[in-house]
Amino acid sequence: MGLMKFFSCSILIFFLACGGETNPRNLFDIQIEGNRKQLQQGESVGVSIQNKKGKTIDHVSYFIDGKELPFQSGKIVLDIEKLGNKLLEAKIAYEGNSIAIDKKIKVLAKMPPEIYTYEVIQEYPHDIEAFTQGLEFHNDTLYEGTGSGKGRKSFLRKIDYRTGKVLQQTDLEKEYFGEGISILNDKVYQLTWQKRMGFIYDLSSLKRSDSFQYGESKEGWGLCNDGKKLYKSDGTEKIWILNPETLVEEGYIQTVTNKSIFNKANELEYVDGKIYANVWQKESMMIIDAKSGAIEGVINFGGLKKRVKQHDKLDVLNGVAYHPERGTFFVTGKNWDKLFEVRIKKKEDGDL
């Protein structure tokens, strides 16, 4: 290499290392009206480009999740489907060049969650030794998956919910802590907690037919399905969307209110476009829009735990299953001796 060529390359490397004009952030920055970092879905908000080097800007377009946002009179409209932590991207054309810059923002729900309560329709017996992690109905049979809490082995079982009688059961190996379950295409899917592995069973025999590994999700918590896709919670703000054939995590929603991003979704149940999610360690349940992640409602199950036998192993509310023929929900908890059939209703003035 000639001395001049070496010298020229050295200058270029130094220039780039010091953040020359090839670094878009040294040229432009996105400015949001009021320096806000939390915005609302559907909101119209003023944005501009800080032009640090006085370049001639020809055109600017704004994007979130690859979708171009409406932009008029210096304002963008946050017309996006999925909420949560986002990157607002600006694609800038200037002086024959084109670059992209971005800024981290939070896009939250438009409205606060509505408050719901419950009415107990019927009580049924439930295995007091079951550390419940997942519930789901298929036809009129209740399926339950449990964890290894309080010294009990994890299992998957079929139950006659009216009597509490166990119709069929498959135990997990002792190294696995069982978590949420869901039934789709004549298969039962069951998560494990921290082993980053799930299992697949034949619906009729409960014989294990396969297993699968998690992708980017952190752990296995709750599981449900919409008839086509599986939804998986992992203890973070994300609910992952899985292809039931490949078990690949193809995307996710984030659970948000109008004020914050929330990360406590545990056991899940899908009903009519909504995900009903137990709130970890709380006597409550969220109603989440399955497309946007907006928490549209919160169900207060306060007082239900007092209706079960009080004992040393008694743990939190967990487990929700919808019975489509009856149009009611069934809920229980870890080491509860009762399964409750409930009707969920909006809280009215005077409700406790």
Side-chain angles (χ1 to χ4, degrees), residues 164-186:
K165 180 181 178 181
V166 176
L167 305 176
Q168 208 168 358
Q169 180 168 317
T170 295
D171 292 342
L172 277 69
E173 294 83 353
K174 64 180 181 180
E175 63 265 30
Y176 295 113
F177 187 106
E179 285 282 351
I181 66 169
S182 194
I183 300 168
L184 182 62
N185 299 330
D186 295 323

Side-chain angles (χ1 to χ4, degrees), residues 197-212:
M197 177 181 287
F199 298 116
I200 304 172
Y201 305 85
D202 176 76
L203 177 63
S204 177
S205 67
L206 291 191
K207 289 183 178 178
R208 188 183 300 171
S209 59
D210 207 347
S211 63
F212 61 95

